[in-house]
Coordinates of all heavy atoms in Angstrom, one line a residue:
Chain D
W34 N -7.9 15.4 9.6 CA -7.0 16.5 9.3 C -6.5 17.1 10.6 O -7.3 17.5 11.4 CB -7.8 17.5 8.5 CG -8.1 17.2 7.0 CD1 -9.2 16.7 6.5 CD2 -7.1 17.3 5.9 NE1 -9.1 16.5 5.1 CE2 -7.8 16.9 4.8 CE3 -5.8 17.8 5.8 CZ2 -7.2 16.9 3.5 CZ3 -5.2 17.8 4.6 CH2 -5.9 17.4 3.4
Y35 N -5.2 17.2 10.6 CA -4.5 17.8 11.8 C -3.7 19.0 11.3 O -3.2 19.0 10.1 CB -3.6 16.8 12.5 CG -4.2 15.7 13.2 CD1 -4.5 14.5 12.6 CD2 -4.6 15.8 14.5 CE1 -5.1 13.4 13.2 CE2 -5.2 14.7 15.2 CZ -5.4 13.5 14.6 OH -6.0 12.5 15.2
R36 N -3.3 19.9 12.2 CA -2.4 21.0 11.9 C -1.3 21.0 12.9 O -1.6 20.8 14.1 CB -3.2 22.3 11.9 CG -2.4 23.5 11.6 CD -3.2 24.8 11.4 NE -3.9 25.2 12.6 CZ -4.7 26.3 12.7 NH1 -4.7 27.1 11.6 NH2 -5.3 26.6 13.8
Q37 N -0.1 21.2 12.5 CA 1.0 21.3 13.4 C 1.7 22.6 13.3 O 2.2 23.0 12.3 CB 2.0 20.1 13.2 CG 3.1 20.0 14.2 CD 4.1 18.8 13.9 OE1 4.4 18.5 12.8 NE2 4.5 18.2 15.0
T38 N 1.9 23.3 14.5 CA 2.6 24.5 14.6 C 3.6 24.4 15.8 O 3.4 23.6 16.7 CB 1.7 25.7 14.8 OG1 1.0 25.6 16.0 CG2 0.7 25.9 13.7
M39 N 4.6 25.2 15.8 CA 5.6 25.2 16.9 C 4.8 25.6 18.2 O 5.1 25.1 19.2 CB 6.7 26.2 16.6 CG 7.6 25.7 15.5 SD 8.6 24.2 16.0 CE 9.6 25.0 17.3
M40 N 3.9 26.6 18.1 CA 3.3 27.1 19.3 C 2.3 26.2 19.9 O 2.2 26.1 21.1 CB 2.6 28.5 18.9 CG 3.6 29.6 18.7 SD 4.5 30.0 20.1 CE 3.2 30.7 21.1
R41 N 1.5 25.5 19.0 CA 0.3 24.7 19.5 C 0.5 23.2 19.3 O -0.4 22.5 19.7 CB -0.9 25.2 18.8 CG -1.2 26.7 19.1 CD -2.4 27.2 18.3 NE -3.6 26.6 18.7 CZ -4.4 27.0 19.7 NH1 -4.1 28.1 20.3 NH2 -5.5 26.4 20.0
G42 N 1.6 22.8 18.7 CA 1.8 21.4 18.5 C 0.8 20.8 17.5 O 0.4 21.5 16.5
L43 N 0.4 19.6 17.6 CA -0.6 18.9 16.7 C -2.0 19.1 17.2 O -2.3 18.7 18.4 CB -0.2 17.4 16.6 CG 0.7 17.0 15.5 CD1 1.4 15.7 15.8 CD2 0.0 17.0 14.2
E44 N -2.8 19.6 16.4 CA -4.2 19.8 16.8 C -5.2 19.2 15.7 O -4.9 19.4 14.5 CB -4.6 21.3 16.9 CG -3.7 22.0 17.9 CD -4.1 23.5 17.8 OE1 -3.8 24.1 16.8 OE2 -4.7 24.0 18.8
L45 N -6.2 18.6 16.1 CA -7.2 18.0 15.2 C -8.1 19.2 14.7 O -8.5 20.1 15.4 CB -8.2 17.1 15.9 CG -9.3 16.6 15.1 CD1 -8.8 15.5 14.1 CD2 -10.5 16.1 15.9
L46 N -8.3 19.2 13.3 CA -9.2 20.1 12.7 C -10.6 19.5 12.5 O -11.6 20.1 12.9 CB -8.6 20.6 11.4 CG -7.2 21.3 11.4 CD1 -6.8 21.6 10.0 CD2 -7.3 22.6 12.3
I47 N -10.6 18.4 11.9 CA -11.9 17.7 11.5 C -11.6 16.3 11.3 O -10.5 15.9 10.9 CB -12.5 18.4 10.3 CG1 -13.9 17.8 10.0 CG2 -11.6 18.3 9.1 CD1 -14.7 18.6 8.9
Y48 N -12.6 15.4 11.5 CA -12.5 14.1 11.0 C -13.8 13.5 10.4 O -14.9 14.0 10.8 CB -11.9 13.1 12.1 CG -12.8 12.6 13.1 CD1 -13.5 11.4 13.0 CD2 -12.9 13.3 14.3 CE1 -14.3 10.9 14.0 CE2 -13.7 12.8 15.4 CZ -14.4 11.6 15.2 OH -15.2 11.1 16.2
F49 N -13.7 12.5 9.5 CA -14.8 11.9 8.8 C -14.8 10.4 9.1 O -13.8 9.8 9.3 CB -14.6 12.1 7.3 CG -14.5 13.5 6.8 CD1 -13.4 14.3 6.9 CD2 -15.7 14.0 6.2 CE1 -13.4 15.6 6.4 CE2 -15.7 15.3 5.7 CZ -14.5 16.1 5.8
N50 N -16.1 9.9 9.1 CA -16.3 8.5 9.1 C -17.2 8.1 8.0 O -18.3 8.7 7.9 CB -16.9 8.1 10.5 CG -17.2 6.6 10.6 OD1 -18.3 6.2 11.1 ND2 -16.3 5.8 10.1
N51 N -16.7 7.2 7.2 CA -17.5 6.8 6.0 C -17.9 8.1 5.2 O -19.1 8.2 4.8 CB -18.7 6.0 6.3 CG -18.2 4.6 6.8 OD1 -17.3 4.0 6.3 ND2 -18.9 4.1 7.9
N52 N -17.0 9.0 5.0 CA -17.2 10.2 4.2 C -18.0 11.3 4.8 O -18.3 12.3 4.2 CB -17.8 9.9 2.8 CG -17.1 8.7 2.1 OD1 -15.9 8.4 2.4 ND2 -17.8 8.0 1.2
V53 N -18.5 11.0 6.0 CA -19.4 12.0 6.7 C -18.6 12.7 7.8 O -17.9 12.0 8.6 CB -20.6 11.2 7.4 CG1 -21.5 12.2 8.2 CG2 -21.4 10.5 6.3
P54 N -18.7 14.0 7.8 CA -17.9 14.8 8.9 C -18.6 14.5 10.3 O -19.8 14.6 10.4 CB -18.1 16.2 8.5 CG -19.3 16.3 7.6 CD -19.4 15.0 6.9
I55 N -17.7 14.1 11.2 CA -18.2 13.7 12.5 C -17.9 14.8 13.6 O -18.8 15.1 14.4 CB -17.6 12.4 13.0 CG1 -17.8 11.3 12.0 CG2 -18.0 12.0 14.4 CD1 -19.3 11.0 11.8
D56 N -16.7 15.4 13.5 CA -16.3 16.4 14.5 C -15.5 17.4 13.8 O -14.4 17.2 13.4 CB -15.5 15.7 15.6 CG -15.2 16.7 16.8 OD1 -15.4 17.9 16.6 OD2 -14.7 16.2 17.8
D57 N -16.1 18.6 13.7 CA -15.3 19.7 13.1 C -15.1 20.8 14.1 O -14.8 22.0 13.7 CB -16.1 20.3 11.9 CG -17.4 20.9 12.3 OD1 -17.8 20.9 13.4 OD2 -18.0 21.5 11.4
S58 N -15.1 20.5 15.4 CA -14.9 21.5 16.4 C -13.5 22.2 16.4 O -13.4 23.2 17.0 CB -15.2 20.9 17.8 OG -14.3 19.8 18.1

Side-chain angles (χ1 to χ4, degrees):
Chain D
W34 283 100
Y35 292 90
R36 179 170 67 175
Q37 186 176 38
T38 61
M39 289 293 291
M40 290 293 292
R41 301 174 66 89
L43 268 159
E44 301 176 294
L45 176 78
L46 298 176
I47 185 170
Y48 79 92
F49 296 81
N50 177 219
N51 291 322
N52 313 336
V53 176
I55 302 300
D56 184 349
D57 66 354
S58 59

